[in-house]
Amino acid sequence: MKTLSPTQIEQLGKFSDCIVMHPQLITIFNDFDELRFNRTFQSDQQCMLLTGDTGVGKSHLINHYKKQVLASQKYGRESIPVLVSRISSGKGLDATLTQMLMDLELFGSHQRKKHGYATDLRKKLVDNLVKAKVELLIQGEIANVF
């Protein structure tokens, strides 16, 4: 087996992160942008469902969009414009809310229980989403939930 040089490893890393801006991909990115833009004008928040077979690149597309947003805007440590989280399969709503709070951990969202005091996960999540200035929430890996 041939060993790769450091230069080849670097080139491979860059290649694995590349994406072809296919017209369908541009449409999806535009839809994501529209969801972010419309969030302040809609009383009922909009959503979209992105589906596809395993391995077609949904997660890569989402991660690339998130990187693109972070690179194109002036966002600091005090904001997460695009939050990518996952629904905890078979573990219920509380596990999903806790996962989303863990994904916002930069904003002090660690779960704590005091004597006889259970944290209101929904309120805590909403407070932290607002604090983090989340514009778009992407929930991934929901196939096994239904």
Side-chain angles (χ1 to χ4, degrees):
M1 181 173 185
K2 181 180 176 188
T3 305
L4 298 175
S5 71
T7 303
Q8 290 173 317
I9 292 171
E10 181 183 342
Q11 290 172 339
L12 187 58
K14 287 178 182 177
F15 176 76
S16 70
D17 194 35
C18 82
I19 195 162
V20 176
M21 293 304 288
H22 186 275
Q24 285 180 313
L25 185 66
I26 293 169
T27 299
I28 293 169
F29 281 10
N30 288 339
D31 288 346
F32 284 165
D33 287 339
E34 188 175 323
L35 287 169
R36 290 177 47 227
F37 177 77
N38 287 337
R39 77 188 187 290
T40 57
F41 304 112
Q42 304 285 331
S43 59
D44 293 330
Q45 295 303 307
Q46 299 175 326
C47 66
M48 69 182 271
L49 181 62
L50 179 63
T51 65
D53 291 335
T54 302
V56 297
K58 298 178 298 295
S59 295
H60 188 71
L61 173 150
I62 290 167
N63 290 329
H64 186 81
Y65 178 78
K66 181 179 177 180
K67 286 179 188 176
Q68 179 181 311
V69 168
L70 290 172
S72 67
Q73 304 291 329
K74 293 186 179 179
Y75 293 105
R77 290 183 52 93
E78 71 280 351
S79 64
I80 298 179
V82 178
L83 176 66
V84 179
S85 190
R86 62 184 317 123
I87 293 179
S88 299
S89 178
K91 296 181 181 174
L93 178 60
D94 283 353
T96 299
L97 296 176
T98 300
Q99 178 62 51
M100 292 169 67
L101 284 164
M102 288 177 8
D103 294 332
L104 286 166
E105 73 177 298
L106 292 175
F107 300 92
S109 58
H110 296 286
Q111 296 304 299
R112 296 180 188 101
K113 286 192 178 181
K114 298 178 183 174
H115 300 289
Y117 175 78
T119 302
D120 181 348
L121 293 174
R122 291 179 193 164
K123 181 178 180 343
K124 189 168 187 133
L125 177 60
V126 169
D127 290 347
N128 279 279
L129 289 170
V130 170
K131 184 178 178 183
K133 300 175 187 166
V134 173
E135 299 171 356
L136 179 65
L137 171 62
I138 300 176
Q139 289 293 149
E141 305 297 328
I142 64 172
N144 298 326
V145 173
F146 302 107

